Amino acid sequence: MQAPELLAPAGNLNNLRYAIAYGADAVYAGMPRYSLRVRNNDFNRIENLAAGIAAVHADGKAFFLASNVLPHNSKVRTFLADMEPVMALGPDALIMADPGLIMLVRERWPDTPVHLSVQANTMNYASVRFWQRLGIRRIILSRELSLDQVEEIRQACPDVELEVFVHGALCIAYSGRCLLSGYFNHRDANQGTCTNSCRWDYRVSDASVDISGDIRPARIGLIEETGRPGEPMPIEEDEHGTYILNSRDLRAVQHVERLVRMGVDSLKIEGRTKSHYYVARTTQVYRRAIDDAVAGRPFDPDLLGSLDNLASRGYTDGFFQRHHDHEYQNYIDGHSNSVTQRFVGELLGYDPHSGLAEVEVKNKFRVGDRLELISPRGNRSFHLQSMQDQNGAPMQEAPGAGYRVRIPLEAGVYALGLLARNLA
């Protein structure tokens, strides 16, 4: 089997470096004005974008630029002029959703590959063929497809690249189509400014509609967001469920083998606003899953446990598999739950003469703790035997963020290394 591309998020230059070091074949990022990540975006400056593209290309990897906004007229008018210096940097493809902007790019830069964003909500093989005929090289399929539906599209469209999301946050609506953020804060999801209103703290109460159409407490639910007391909103539920509250995060590492086998070209991790720890961990886990699948090795359920150690809203495999079989239930219940971890430190350097590594502390840890060293060269666990401050004085505990300490490690290369503390 041929290995698919592993595509990791790069919300900033630091995350980009971790993604490449931990096994990504490509990264994606976007300019705030024309992508769906306006907030927490390091690529609002052209020099940062240039540095990121150069660093990725130096490693022989690919850099995809997200320009997947669904623009109003004001952004259409400025698009080509703003993109001129960006295109001169040589991104490997543009990720786009809006037909008008795609037309402008195809006219101005006809040799630049275009990947159709998940924002276009491509659900079937006829749509794939439509976009392919317009010159789109890759289709990022909707998250609302099952594995069987993805495979059917793959078989019907064998000569176009297909990409699917395998990990990260899920929108409660078709991607970018939610109205909550625009309603509450006048910040539109499909303009890149979503405030994730679906994840706020809501209270639910019962209500009903009387003969005059007024809402009264009883059979229809009311929700009230804690920041807006006294403003209850009706919420109805039918046989398909309800549509306003938060979704669990996507985790599909257990389906990587099938996606590889069916010939999906790229497996994508969501998370441009997440930490470098998240990027390193997810990239490392999905790299291992892909490599195992290609080599014919069975799926390792411990990979599920590794992802459990990341902050999440709980996990789901989304729409990939509607009814889980017995084997999958074993994955859910049988993987190791005994080790939970917290990210506690980032390695800044290693002195081979003293055998000490300098650590920037992120969370509290102490002598005697069992730690896991996470690095691009592999992971290992150890008990922390000693620790000292920057002046060489012994310490029993690193109190938390804002400290730098030194700890003993075996000789090795620890560039972009991370530390996690086992909590149980």
Side-chain angles (χ1 to χ4, degrees), residues 174-206:
Y174 279 95
S175 295
R177 300 302 197 269
C178 178
L179 301 178
L180 287 178
S181 179
Y183 177 79
F184 285 133
N185 299 101
H186 307 291
R187 290 171 59 174
D188 295 335
N190 58 21
Q191 298 299 303
T193 55
C194 182
T195 53
N196 301 124
S197 306
C198 63
R199 297 169 191 158
W200 294 348
D201 183 13
Y202 294 93
R203 294 185 300 170
V204 180
S205 59
D206 293 331

Side-chain angles (χ1 to χ4, degrees), residues 100-310:
L101 294 190
I102 291 173
M103 178 188 69
L104 294 177
V105 166
R106 298 288 296 154
E107 291 173 350
R108 177 65 182 83
W109 298 285
D111 296 329
T112 298
V114 173
H115 296 175
L116 187 69
S117 171
V118 71
Q119 290 296 110
N121 300 123
T122 305
M123 300 283 293
N124 59 73
Y125 60 80
S127 293
V128 171
R129 289 172 179 167
F130 168 82
W131 289 108
Q132 184 182 14
R133 288 178 182 177
L134 293 182
I136 303 300
R137 176 169 304 179
R138 177 183 296 184
I139 309 297
I140 305 170
L141 294 175
S142 172
R143 292 182 177 95
E144 286 73 27
L145 295 173
S146 69
L147 289 168
D148 290 341
Q149 291 166 331
V150 173
E151 186 161 20
E152 185 178 5
I153 292 173
R154 173 77 290 170
Q155 291 172 353
C157 306
D159 55 349
V160 63
E161 294 182 15
L162 298 180
E163 177 179 306
V164 299
F165 278 90
V166 290
H167 197 91
L170 288 173
C171 187
I172 59 164
Y174 279 95
S175 295
R177 300 302 197 269
C178 178
L179 301 178
L180 287 178
S181 179
Y183 177 79
F184 285 133
N185 299 101
H186 307 291
R187 290 171 59 174
D188 295 335
N190 58 21
Q191 298 299 303
T193 55
C194 182
T195 53
N196 301 124
S197 306
C198 63
R199 297 169 191 158
W200 294 348
D201 183 13
Y202 294 93
R203 294 185 300 170
V204 180
S205 59
D206 293 331
S208 66
V209 178
D210 65 18
I211 193 169
S212 65
D214 294 327
I215 298 172
R216 301 189 182 281
R219 289 181 299 243
I220 296 177
L222 289 175
I223 64 167
E224 182 179 323
E225 202 271 315
T226 55
R228 292 169 171 77
E231 299 180 26
M233 296 174 290
I235 175 172
E236 298 184 64
E237 181 171 332
D238 60 19
E239 68 273 15
H240 301 295
T242 189
Y243 311 101
I244 199 169
L245 300 179
N246 190 14
S247 168
R248 293 185 179 187
D249 290 341
L250 174 65
R251 179 184 63 185
V253 67
Q254 67 276 17
H255 298 309
V256 164
E257 190 274 337
R258 184 173 174 190
L259 291 166
V260 170
R261 184 159 30 90
M262 71 174 68
V264 170
D265 298 278
S266 180
L267 305 184
K268 187 173 192 173
I269 299 168
E270 185 276 337
R272 279 190 281 156
T273 60
K274 298 291 184 68
S275 70
H276 60 292
Y277 179 67
Y278 167 93
V279 172
R281 278 298 230 183
T282 53
T283 302
Q284 185 183 60
V285 166
Y286 281 89
R287 177 80 273 157
R288 165 78 183 282
I290 291 171
D291 292 345
D292 284 350
V294 172
R297 293 186 289 267
F299 174 68
D300 182 359
D302 284 345
L303 297 180
L304 293 165
S306 295
L307 295 171
D308 278 338
N309 290 318
L310 295 170

Side-chain angles (χ1 to χ4, degrees), residues 27-47:
V27 299
Y28 64 101
M31 299 166 60
R33 180 168 171 80
Y34 300 108
S35 80
L36 297 192
R37 292 295 181 273
V38 171
R39 296 173 295 130
N40 304 322
N41 192 327
D42 204 23
F43 297 106
N44 56 344
R45 296 164 57 191
I46 192 70
E47 55 265 35

Side-chain angles (χ1 to χ4, degrees), residues 71-118:
H72 298 290
N73 290 328
S74 60
K75 290 186 178 180
V76 175
R77 286 191 289 268
T78 60
F79 179 72
L80 288 177
D82 288 347
M83 289 298 289
E84 283 283 357
V86 175
M87 298 303 292
L89 301 175
D92 296 281
L94 297 182
I95 302 172
M96 307 187 72
D98 181 73
L101 294 190
I102 291 173
M103 178 188 69
L104 294 177
V105 166
R106 298 288 296 154
E107 291 173 350
R108 177 65 182 83
W109 298 285
D111 296 329
T112 298
V114 173
H115 296 175
L116 187 69
S117 171
V118 71

